[in-house]
Amino acid sequence: MEETSFWMVRPAQNQEAFQTYMERRLAGEQIDAAEMEEWLVCHTDHIQLLHMNTTTFLRTHDVASPLTATNMEFTTAPRNQTADTFADTIWELRVDGADTNDTVVQTSASFVRLVSARHGVAMHTHAKKLPADWGRGHQEINGNKKPGDKSNVWVIPLIRGRKASDAERQEMKRKIKKIGFFEKYAELQALMIKHNNALTSTHPFQSGPLSWPFLTRGVSFWTNSNDRKQIYLLGNPAGWWISTGALIVYGCNVVVLALFNRRNITVADPVVHRHLLRSGGFIALAWAAHYFPFFLMGRSLFLHHYLPASIFAYMAVAVVFQFFSIQHYQRFTLRRWNGPARALVPSTTALASFVVLIAIQTASFLYFAPLAYGTTAMTPEQVRGRMLLSSYDLHFQK
């Protein structure tokens, strides 16, 4: 680490007492642990940052940053600053995830934010570099007016000073709590839910769960303007809509058969009916379990969140196809637990329907493959030809 990277953390209050304490430490005086704990840096402490090379204090003021006009400029101020400038050098140190104000800042372990006590902006950086003639090509540091942004988090990687003794190292080792498998599992699930619900920022290609079964919008993943290629997550429209239709037909079948049964009218073979309710019911329940929870989420959602549910929607196609096209389910029944299963020969109509379904699915896949894989350049006419719905926001339409 460069020598110019070191800063001294000084309290905004009791500076004379802190200066005396530091002089005693630098002189090698043995200081008891209780006194050292008085000067621990904690969550929400108000501090100053003294640059060790230039002996100036980090400061922000109400001037636009050179490369980011919406943010405030960061600079340093000399020690003999005026009272007004002094207020610009006071920072509130915030530890991410801290529960109480006595949470201690830890090297390489704490994620911290430096927020100006006067202006409310947080220390922020980005990839752009300052000009070499006066900024030496360094990354710009400025004040972000949204202190809660994730990009404002920093880590203190190294402390330069007196080396800790073996006893101190042992005392500072993090004590890891041992927990059982189920407690770990519950903690992991809770954290995943917490972090997922925190992803609330909007996205130009987000969509709602209600639109997913009808494939009204996709997600743009990649574009190549030179070759006019793109990758647009859309799915196979033919198979997607057929599977949604199969779910609707399955639900209607279950309701209609239940109404007939209430009136003691038999319209389907008992074995066929049992297969529809048990096997089909399991698939429908699995689809619902992977789909409806998304209605409870507050995070940004996308079409790809429906992919696990779409697997069971495709299975529903087989359930409906079997119900309408294949009879004599008893052929699946084994006479004995180890008896041979007899072959099930579909009717000519069922076989023809199956071939048509496969042909439609294959043709649709080949037609939309350039969007799925981005391997083929398409003319504007070809792109518009694949916009089956006006809500498909494909690139290179012109």
Side-chain angles (χ1 to χ4, degrees):
M1 183 175 290
E2 296 181 7
E3 285 294 316
T4 56
S5 301
F6 286 95
W7 299 75
M8 178 186 288
V9 180
R10 297 169 57 92
Q13 306 293 332
N14 303 324
Q15 292 196 359
E16 291 185 4
F18 176 76
Q19 185 65 31
T20 303
Y21 164 76
M22 288 300 299
E23 290 173 356
R24 290 167 57 200
R25 284 201 64 178
L26 294 173
E29 181 179 334
Q30 292 296 322
I31 302 174
D32 59 48
E35 184 178 356
M36 292 175 66
E37 287 180 0
E38 294 178 8
W39 300 105
L40 290 174
V41 183
C42 299
H43 175 58
T44 69
D45 277 0
H46 281 206
I47 63 170
Q48 286 183 303
L49 288 174
L50 177 65
H51 190 233
M52 299 304 295
N53 270 33
T54 61
T55 64
T56 55
F57 289 101
L58 182 67
R59 176 199 182 196
T60 187
H61 55 151
D62 195 10
V63 174
S65 182
L67 301 183
T68 313
T70 56
N71 291 6
M72 291 177 62
E73 182 184 54
F74 268 44
T75 182
T76 59
R79 285 195 173 199
N80 57 344
Q81 65 246 2
T82 63
D84 185 65
T85 304
F86 177 82
D88 290 339
T89 65
I90 305 302
W91 303 90
E92 182 179 294
L93 192 149
R94 301 176 185 175
V95 180
D96 267 23
D99 297 322
T100 59
N101 288 347
D102 58 358
T103 301
V104 178
V105 177
Q106 296 180 332
T107 311
S108 300
S110 297
F111 296 98
V112 300
R113 301 171 188 266
L114 283 172
V115 182
S116 172
R118 183 178 191 180
H119 302 287
V121 297
M123 187 165 73
H124 168 81
T125 189
H126 53 81
K128 292 182 180 179
K129 294 183 179 181
L130 296 168
D133 53 349
W134 59 269
R136 301 180 182 179
H138 292 169
Q139 285 184 231
E140 182 187 36
I141 305 292
N142 55 44
N144 188 344
K145 296 178 182 178
K146 297 179 180 179
D149 280 1
K150 294 180 179 180
S151 58
N152 300 332
V153 177
W154 298 80
V155 174
I156 303 172
L158 179 65
I159 292 179
R160 187 174 66 181
R162 182 179 66 86
K163 293 183 178 180
S165 64
D166 292 339
E168 288 173 329
R169 288 197 189 94
Q170 191 64 30
E171 184 181 352
M172 288 186 294
K173 280 186 178 179
R174 175 172 291 186
K175 296 176 176 62
I176 301 175
K177 178 185 176 183
K178 292 184 178 180
I179 57 178
F181 170 78
F182 291 105
E183 191 174 353
K184 286 181 181 178
Y185 178 81
E187 180 185 31
L188 176 62
Q189 300 305 313
L191 286 173
M192 287 194 295
I193 293 172
K194 177 183 176 181
H195 287 291
N196 260 287
N197 287 335
L199 301 174
T200 55
S201 58
T202 59
H203 191 278
F205 289 97
Q206 69 183 48
S207 56
L210 198 60
S211 68
W212 298 341
F214 304 101
L215 200 63
T216 60
R217 195 160 188 236
V219 182
S220 177
F221 276 104
W222 172 82
T223 59
N224 185 331
S225 301
N226 295 329
D227 297 331
R228 303 184 66 85
K229 297 178 181 179
Q230 61 182 307
I231 294 178
Y232 188 84
L233 174 66
L234 187 62
N236 188 323
W240 207 283
W241 291 329
I242 290 172
S243 66
T244 301
L247 287 169
I248 296 172
V249 171
Y250 173 80
C252 293
N253 276 354
V254 171
V255 172
V256 170
L257 289 175
L259 292 175
F260 277 114
N261 284 343
R262 289 282 293 176
R263 290 162 176 74
N264 292 323
I265 301 174
T266 301
V267 295
D269 183 88
V271 177
V272 174
H273 193 188
R274 186 172 70 246
H275 272 257
L276 182 72
L277 294 180
R278 292 182 182 178
S279 302
F282 173 80
I283 291 171
L285 182 63
W287 171 83
H290 287 82
Y291 174 57
F292 287 111
F294 287 104
F295 284 91
L296 305 177
M297 293 187 181
R299 59 155 292 171
S300 299
L301 297 170
F302 302 89
L303 177 65
H304 57 253
H305 288 119
Y306 184 71
L307 291 179
S310 70
I311 296 172
F312 295 99
Y314 269 81
M315 292 182 183
V317 177
V319 172
V320 173
F321 178 81
Q322 180 172 303
F323 178 78
F324 285 106
S325 303
I326 300 177
Q327 300 300 320
H328 307 298
Y329 278 47
Q330 292 86 344
R331 288 182 178 273
F332 288 117
T333 305
L334 303 181
R335 298 300 180 183
R336 297 183 301 277
W337 69 271
N338 61 346
R342 290 179 289 178
L344 179 63
V345 181
S347 65
T348 304
T349 304
L351 185 60
S353 301
F354 176 77
V355 171
V356 169
L357 279 175
I358 294 299
I360 292 173
Q361 178 81 358
T362 304
S364 179
F365 167 77
L366 294 175
Y367 187 65
F368 286 93
L371 295 178
Y373 300 102
T375 55
T376 305
M378 291 187 292
T379 64
E381 292 75 17
Q382 290 174 323
V383 172
R384 290 194 295 271
R386 286 161 175 78
M387 290 183 59
L388 302 185
L389 298 177
S390 60
S391 54
Y392 291 174
D393 37 9
L394 301 177
H395 298 278
F396 313 127
Q397 300 177 33
K398 298 179 181 179

